[in-house]
Amino acid sequence: MEIRIAGFGGQGVILATQILGRAAAIHDGLHATMTQSFGPEARGGACSAQLIVSDEPVLYPYVTRADVLVAMSQEACTKFSPEVKPGGILIVEQDLVRMQQPPDGVSVFCLPATRMAEELGKRVVQNIVMLGFATAITGVVGEEALENAVLSAVPGHLADLNRKALAAGLEAGRTCLRNPSSGMETGAIPGLAAGVASARAPA
Amino acid sequence: MQADPRAVLTGVHFLNGDQACCEGALAAGARFAAGYPITPSTEIVERFSKRIPLVGGVFIQMEDELAASIAIQGAAWAGKKVFTVTSGPGFSLMMEHIGFAAMTETPCVFVNVQRGGPSTGLPTLPAQGDMMQARFGSHGDYPCIALSPDSPQECFRLMIRAMNLAEEFRTPVFLMMDEVVGHMTERVEIPAAESIEVTPRRLTEKAPEDYLPYETETSKIGGSLTPEMAIAGEGYKFHVTGLTHDERGYPSMTPETQHKLIHRLFAKIDTAKDRIIELEEDHTEEAEVVVISYGITMRVAERAIQMARTEGIATGKLRLITVWPLAEERIRELAGRVKAFVVPELNMGQVVLEVERVTGGRTRVIRVPHAGGTVHKPEQILEAIRRGAMTVQGAGA
């Protein structure tokens, strides 16, 4: 499975991809290769990471046709959504991405991850919310593997907050899958119509 | 000798190649590094500078690469196992001191995480354009050992091997990584310290008054061509110079001394090359086309090899884990049997020149050059394999 997570520097794009890779490579016994690209800026520049997950050793290290794109910024969505393959999955941060025309045959899921993270108390965990959401939808790694990977990547005093963020994202993803109209828009233009109810974290 | 458990991060990790290289250095016993951090090699010394105070050792961020490449040599003579890391622009600046290390037989490792060049080129993007610079970059004649890892796991393993070879042969050893391998993150398994073999410094057991720093067993059959070291500051008096020197280490600028010294420097690597050369082969015996490459490019080529096989082309793989010295004998053997060699590299054609030389026109050699900045598309390599398979045998190049 070829996955790209993209956004701007400071959103935790690289860390989120690293956690997903660690979950796959260490906790789920899969092969995982992560690469990243970033601008010279420390924050605010375009930032993207790629993760190839497979049962077999990974040879080619880059995404050629993405199975999954997680776009956390408008620029990321515009730039990378054309590489998502038909039948692939596009996941967007709905408050930051306005999509005119989703690619053909791509399932689009959206989540206000940043808002949800703010409601949990800290905006920085939006990447973990998004990671939970994406994992519930794609099933790329197991939930237990993901939780282990998250907890080994964050400092101890933030473990609880991250656990909550992960649970919120996972729950939102599950809700989406159970009830497509709550957040999934296939071939439509999501995030535009006010009130497109995206899955929300339990308060 | 086994690795010091205090420095070995035994366990399963998710590390990039740079971080894994640093762990390899620590496991191999490196206790001094100096560097002038440069993308895409920075993470190696960044990690080393954090880890080394816990293990016991020193990292110095020097004023430039010239200083870094000579500071490590001072530390080597003071008894430490040492390395420095850089990328193309810094590697150019280190050339003078690489020659000094070769001439003075100072054990040290130079890690070059290659990026696009020439000059400052592409700081964050890959290339393999420094392969000939590693071989011939410093002036004068000297032999070279260069290893090329294709994954973070191999960065760990080959950094240990590079440090060990440097100690065994008292020569600069090059770990020729590239940006993709350096920044690529994968599972890295670090074994228990007791299963990591580490080559100790070849220290003399002679008394200070009997010790000659460049005395070897040249005249003895099977004797080592590598002299023994002493640790500066422990009572041994010796002179280390880049000038042509005799067994005492004193300048002796005669054709005879030069002949003896340079021939010995070459012979110490040449006589051990079967041990130094490490290859990975797959289906080379029955192949009509063999892809020869190294580092990240071999991984990409492997995708092309798989595609070629599904088309019915018997395709083999010869991965140069040790690039220098080149596996001349093996390449020559295969040259007599296969229709073509396909040699993809992230440069305009460097190691392929040597493959052509060794092949001597006996088989077709197809270059697959790339200016760098990313890796090949597997289809580019596949196309070259197809051309190779269509070669009429005996038609030569």
Side-chain angles (χ1 to χ4, degrees):
Chain A
M1 189 181 273
E2 300 186 5
I3 302 161
R4 185 188 289 276
I5 303 181
F8 40 80
Q11 279 184 315
V13 164
I14 305 287
L15 181 63
T17 316
Q18 234 163 24
I19 289 171
L20 197 57
R22 183 188 290 268
I26 295 179
H27 302 291
D28 264 353
L30 297 162
H31 293 276
T33 299
M34 177 193 148
T35 55
Q36 55 189 286
S37 58
F38 40 86
E41 309 90 347
R43 263 178 280 283
C47 178
S48 128
Q50 309 176 40
L51 182 71
I52 318 289
V53 179
S54 174
D55 298 336
E56 289 169 20
V58 176
L59 299 174
Y60 193 78
Y62 295 129
V63 166
T64 45
R65 300 289 284 154
D67 297 279
V68 179
L69 168 64
V70 179
M72 309 219 269
S73 74
Q74 184 65 53
E75 188 190 346
C77 187
T78 308
K79 185 169 175 193
F80 296 116
S81 57
E83 79 177 9
V84 182
K85 67 178 169 204
I89 294 170
L90 171 55
I91 296 169
V92 298
E93 164 37 281
Q94 71 174 48
D95 290 347
L96 299 173
V97 177
R98 182 160 287 245
M99 207 172 358
Q100 299 304 325
Q101 184 60 53
D104 282 347
V106 171
S107 306
V108 182
F109 297 81
C110 38
L111 186 75
T114 312
R115 241 189 298 147
M116 287 168 66
E118 279 167 355
E119 282 166 18
L120 286 167
K122 249 188 177 24
R123 189 192 295 175
V124 290
V125 293
Q126 62 85 18
N127 60 340
I128 305 297
V129 175
M130 198 50 125
L131 204 49
F133 186 66
T135 298
I137 286 168
T138 62
V140 59
V141 295
E143 292 184 8
E144 199 186 326
L146 184 65
E147 180 166 334
N148 286 335
V150 168
L151 295 178
S152 66
V154 302
H157 69 283
L158 292 175
D160 264 353
L161 177 64
N162 279 281
R163 210 182 268 125
K164 276 185 205 154
L166 183 64
L170 284 166
E171 182 51 35
R174 286 188 216 111
T175 308
C176 247
L177 289 180
R178 274 199 304 270
N179 179 13
S181 66
S182 74
M184 185 176 77
E185 298 280 322
T186 305
I189 301 172
L192 286 181
V196 168
S198 291
R200 300 296 295 265
Chain B
M1 185 179 148
Q2 270 65 49
D4 176 359
R6 282 177 310 159
V8 180
L9 217 57
T10 303
V12 180
H13 308 270
F14 196 56
L15 299 178
N16 70 30
D18 282 358
Q19 295 164 333
C21 170
C22 170
E23 291 305 326
L26 287 164
R31 295 296 177 267
F32 182 94
Y36 187 70
I38 178 171
T39 304
S41 71
T42 306
E43 290 90 334
I44 304 174
V45 283
E46 188 180 19
R47 190 178 179 98
F48 192 81
S49 67
K50 276 190 201 135
R51 294 262 287 126
I52 198 64
L54 307 172
V55 172
V58 173
F59 169 72
I60 306 180
Q61 179 164 331
M62 301 298 293
E63 67 269 34
D64 60 27
E65 287 88 347
L66 280 90
S69 60
I70 203 68
I72 59 167
Q73 297 187 48
W77 283 96
K80 296 293 181 203
K81 290 191 179 181
V82 301
F83 72 102
T84 186
V85 312
T86 191
S87 187
F91 202 47
S92 290
L93 293 175
M94 290 180 177
M95 285 301 137
E96 177 175 352
H97 293 145
I98 286 169
F100 185 80
M103 187 60 146
T104 57
E105 298 177 75
T106 305
C108 50
V109 171
F110 292 82
V111 180
N112 179 353
V113 188
Q114 297 170 86
R115 63 191 223 184
S119 190
T120 35
L122 299 167
T124 62
L125 298 171
Q128 295 175 315
D130 308 344
M131 299 309 295
M132 277 298 179
Q133 191 182 22
R135 175 63 196 86
F136 288 117
S138 196
H139 57 274
D141 267 331
Y142 58 99
C144 168
I145 300 176
L147 313 177
S148 175
D150 75 347
S151 66
Q153 181 72 57
E154 209 170 68
C155 288
F156 173 77
R157 183 178 72 84
L158 290 187
M159 186 57 178
I160 296 174
R161 181 145 204 262
M163 298 287 303
N164 284 348
L165 289 168
E167 294 298 331
E168 182 175 355
F169 296 104
R170 283 190 55 183
T171 187
V173 174
F174 302 94
L175 187 70
M176 300 300 284
M177 295 167 52
D178 58 73
E179 187 276 336
V180 184
V181 164
H183 280 164
M184 163 199 283
T185 306
E186 289 184 333
R187 178 191 165 97
V188 174
E189 208 170 323
I190 298 183
E194 62 263 28
S195 66
I196 299 174
E197 199 59 42
V198 164
T199 305
R201 175 68 44 92
R202 293 175 56 81
L203 288 177
T204 187
E205 286 175 2
K206 287 183 178 155
E209 58 274 22
D210 300 327
Y211 173 66
L212 293 175
Y214 290 98
E215 186 181 35
T216 59
E217 299 166 317
T218 317
S219 52
K220 200 168 98 186
I221 292 168
S224 174
L225 300 178
T226 308
E228 294 172 341
M229 283 186 95
I231 296 176
E234 291 192 350
Y236 291 86
K237 296 193 176 92
F238 52 83
H239 187 238
V240 178
T241 175
L243 287 168
T244 296
H245 44 270
D246 59 19
E247 292 187 339
R248 297 169 302 163
Y250 293 167
S252 164
M253 284 157 286
T254 67
E256 293 73 25
T257 315
Q258 171 78 355
H259 177 93
K260 202 174 153 193
L261 175 57
I262 301 304
H263 278 262
R264 183 175 61 74
L265 292 184
F266 274 83
K268 73 178 176 180
I269 304 300
D270 215 43
T271 53
K273 65 174 187 291
D274 289 347
R275 241 167 354 101
I276 297 170
I277 293 171
E278 184 182 350
L279 302 171
E280 185 189 330
E281 295 194 32
D282 180 33
H283 287 83
T284 42
E285 289 308 318
E286 66 274 19
E288 45 181 339
V289 177
V290 169
V291 180
I292 302 178
S293 193
Y294 51 91
I296 189 61
T297 306
M298 191 77 245
R299 273 176 72 155
V300 176
E302 214 166 318
R303 167 93 62 103
I305 290 170
Q306 288 175 351
M307 291 154 97
R309 284 178 187 159
T310 62
E311 292 182 9
I313 305 171
T315 314
K317 163 178 126 176
L318 178 64
R319 179 159 76 95
L320 309 174
I321 298 172
T322 305
V323 177
W324 310 126
L326 187 72
E328 296 192 11
E329 281 163 30
R330 185 62 184 139
I331 291 171
R332 216 170 271 132
E333 272 170 25
L334 291 170
R337 289 193 242 148
V338 303
K339 284 185 183 173
F341 288 134
V342 168
V343 189
E345 300 178 78
L346 281 186
N347 57 50
M348 297 306 284
Q350 294 194 8
V351 174
V352 69
L353 301 175
E354 279 291 276
V355 174
E356 287 169 355
R357 175 183 67 77
V358 170
T359 304
R362 289 196 300 144
T363 194
R364 188 176 175 194
V365 178
I366 301 175
R367 300 183 184 191
V368 193
H370 191 301
T374 183
V375 295
H376 288 79
K377 288 195 167 56
E379 291 76 13
Q380 290 173 283
I381 301 169
L382 174 64
E383 202 275 320
I385 296 172
R386 284 189 192 130
R387 273 194 288 143
M390 286 189 300
T391 308
V392 182
Q393 220 149 9

